[in-house]
Amino acid sequence: MKHVRSVAVVVAVIAAAAAGCGSPSSKRKSADDGQPAIATDKVIMDRDAKGPAKEVPGARKGGTITVYSQPTPNTFDPTDTYYVDANEIDKLVFRTPTQFDIRPNGDAVLVPDLTDLGTVSADKLTWTFRFQRGIKYADGSEVKVEDIAYAIKRSFAHDVYPNGPTYQMTYFKDGDPNKPGAYKGPYTGGDTYAGVETPDPGTLVIHLAQPFPDLPFYMSYPLFTPIPKAKDTRQEYKNKPMATGPYEFDSYTPGAELKLKRNPNWDANTDPARHQYVDGWHFKFGEQDVKTQQQVLNSNGADANALNYQNIDASLLPQLNGAKAGQLLRGASPCHQMTQLDSRKIPLEVRKAIAVAYPYDQLWKASGFNDYGQQASSTIMPPSVPGYRAYPPLPGLSGKGAGDPAAAKKMLTDAGKLNFEVSWYYDNTKPLTQQTTQILSDALTTAGFTTKPIGVSTAELRGKVGDYNAPTNLGASPSGWCSDWPSGSSWFPVLFQTHSIADGQSIGMLTDKDLDARINAIAALPPDEAVGKWADLDREIMGRYIVLPRYYYKVAIVMGTNIGGALVDSTMGMPNYKSMFLKG
């Protein structure tokens, strides 16, 4: 999933990716102290959920909520949406076949929306969804099942909508663009597509090229929101899309602001997860986060009805005491930042020594991280993903500690690998990355390694760390990952299989046919059966020492004193707008 972060945090993330930076002090309290635990022992679905959504205690109607953010969403075309900020906003405007209901305890529960959660055929290659008839667009026209089918077809026009997700190209019948006969979307491929059928007004059928047990999760994405063919204005659609959710576009100035107003034709009785408490939403983009976060904390006038969806700036943390402590909304994120070791180039015993020597605490402190935005990690999947299990950390893989150079040096000596060279790229134009590179280099040198950090410019860095044939063995990309939906199937098949190298998104550069087969077998299971097996696989792969865990992202945003019903959508790492109201 594409994750959005403020400029300051992006710089820190790039620094960490290049220099192998990482995690909090072992002397700190748990980052989740005082917060409710997240239920991740099983995939949570509620097939029987029906509208209306359960009322939020204390909720009242009326008023406008203002939402600030320095980063600007790149598009509101549902087919082209993949960044989490636009995705969360889209949930106010677009209904989808399925959706996540964020329950008061923080659980993200998959529930029906425009369809049920589907049934799959015996061969796992055909999914049938029952469509909820009688839903209307904001203009009063009827939503038809054919509109969902058209939206699916539209998503194959990836040349027109290059930013959207592409699982349909991998899993849907005739979707692979690298194979003969691939469907290219309705603009060039016509309306006939063998992957989607609407045999009657109440049924949607999707045909697959290979089993995709998590399809109901994927169908919560905006690309599945209905779009009438006659209303598809292509590149202009993003400026005034057809609304099916509780709100519709009132006005939109790209790069500056979006105003939403009530959709008079949204029917709460058909929607099990959304509310329509406020009269409108005013999203203001491009304003400095520190400035608007301070305004929200002050909560003077209209700013009492506002929030900023970027994590709180570290400079404002000292203000979070007394009454202001209650203005911080905290929760889980689907993202995990890691440093990877190349298994093709570094023997296992050497990888273990690097982990034991790794200066987690020093790098955490130098990078300016804090408990509000990060949590020390020791697994692959973060706590918000079903299948996460907090097993005892393996030696050197706790995400904490100053490192043990003497122990690491003995490990190298015993393995006959003293002075083994460790090399990585770093951004040599930034003081922070220069500092963290020196910290890492000093720690590894003391532990008996030879280090070779290679300085490059900011512009070169992304290309360099993405080159799997580069003369380095630590810190390649990806340096982290976010769930596309809460399941191990959006982690292990993508990152740890042999094909991941050719795909350019391998962690550890593994080429293990047995592991490939076991991952495929788990991925083919129903989600509720797969969840525990992903947890077992998580520990096994950590035991291969191809990952140095650094931190799980967390959500820590400020909101005005008059905001009620605030929850975190852990599937996006964003505030859950669907439950919010103004207290007075």
Side-chain angles (χ1 to χ4, degrees), residues 245-315:
Y247 298 91
E248 63 174 317
F249 278 33
D250 187 9
S251 64
Y252 176 44
T253 304
E257 68 175 8
L258 169 66
K259 292 183 178 180
L260 302 180
K261 61 182 180 181
R262 289 180 183 270
N263 171 4
N265 286 301
W266 173 74
D267 183 359
N269 292 319
T270 68
D271 195 329
R274 295 179 183 86
H275 298 281
Q276 196 187 51
Y277 290 132
V278 298
D279 296 328
W281 296 81
H282 188 183
F283 293 87
K284 294 185 176 182
F285 308 116
E287 301 189 32
Q288 288 193 358
D289 283 327
V290 176
K291 171 179 172 289
T292 58
Q293 287 173 0
Q294 184 65 71
Q295 291 175 206
V296 171
L297 280 173
N298 292 341
S299 285
N300 294 323
D303 282 324
N305 302 340
L307 61 96
N308 177 297
Y309 66 69
Q310 297 298 322
N311 270 4
I312 184 171
D313 189 84
S315 67

Side-chain angles (χ1 to χ4, degrees), residues 261-422:
K261 61 182 180 181
R262 289 180 183 270
N263 171 4
N265 286 301
W266 173 74
D267 183 359
N269 292 319
T270 68
D271 195 329
R274 295 179 183 86
H275 298 281
Q276 196 187 51
Y277 290 132
V278 298
D279 296 328
W281 296 81
H282 188 183
F283 293 87
K284 294 185 176 182
F285 308 116
E287 301 189 32
Q288 288 193 358
D289 283 327
V290 176
K291 171 179 172 289
T292 58
Q293 287 173 0
Q294 184 65 71
Q295 291 175 206
V296 171
L297 280 173
N298 292 341
S299 285
N300 294 323
D303 282 324
N305 302 340
L307 61 96
N308 177 297
Y309 66 69
Q310 297 298 322
N311 270 4
I312 184 171
D313 189 84
S315 67
L316 302 179
L317 292 176
Q319 298 182 39
L320 295 177
N321 50 54
K324 280 186 167 51
Q327 292 182 243
L328 187 69
L329 176 64
R330 300 178 68 183
S333 163
C335 301
H336 180 203
Q337 198 73 14
M338 303 167 269
T339 295
Q340 61 163 298
L341 303 174
D342 193 331
S343 64
R344 304 171 303 178
K345 302 176 181 179
I346 310 177
L348 175 60
E349 292 307 313
V350 177
R351 300 199 299 271
K352 290 182 177 180
I354 292 174
V356 169
Y358 204 72
Y360 291 104
D361 287 358
Q362 300 92 310
L363 293 169
W364 171 276
K365 182 177 179 180
S367 298
F369 296 140
N370 60 75
D371 288 345
Y372 293 96
Q374 295 86 18
Q375 174 187 346
S377 58
S378 59
T379 62
I380 292 168
M381 293 187 293
S384 63
V385 179
Y388 166 84
R389 184 184 299 153
Y391 49 80
L394 298 171
L397 300 180
S398 67
K400 303 176 182 178
D404 188 339
K409 193 168 190 176
K410 183 179 185 305
M411 294 168 71
L412 281 182
T413 301
D414 292 346
K417 297 292 184 180
L418 199 62
N419 297 315
F420 186 92
E421 183 178 276
V422 180

Side-chain angles (χ1 to χ4, degrees), residues 182-203:
Y183 182 63
K184 302 293 186 182
Y187 307 146
T188 60
D191 285 339
T192 302
Y193 169 48
V196 179
E197 285 185 85
T198 53
D200 61 66
T203 305

Side-chain angles (χ1 to χ4, degrees), residues 14 38 72 90 97 104 156 204 238 249 277 293 406 438 455 462 470 489 513 542 560 574 577 582:
I14 291 174
I38 299 171
T72 302
D90 282 356
F156 287 93
L204 175 72
K238 61 179 177 278
F249 278 33
Y277 290 132
Q293 287 173 0
Q438 191 63 54
R462 181 172 294 183
S489 64
K513 291 183 179 180
M542 285 297 290
M574 291 287 293
Y577 303 126
L582 294 176

Side-chain angles (χ1 to χ4, degrees), residues 15-27:
C21 300
S23 29
S25 168
S26 57
K27 296 180 181 178

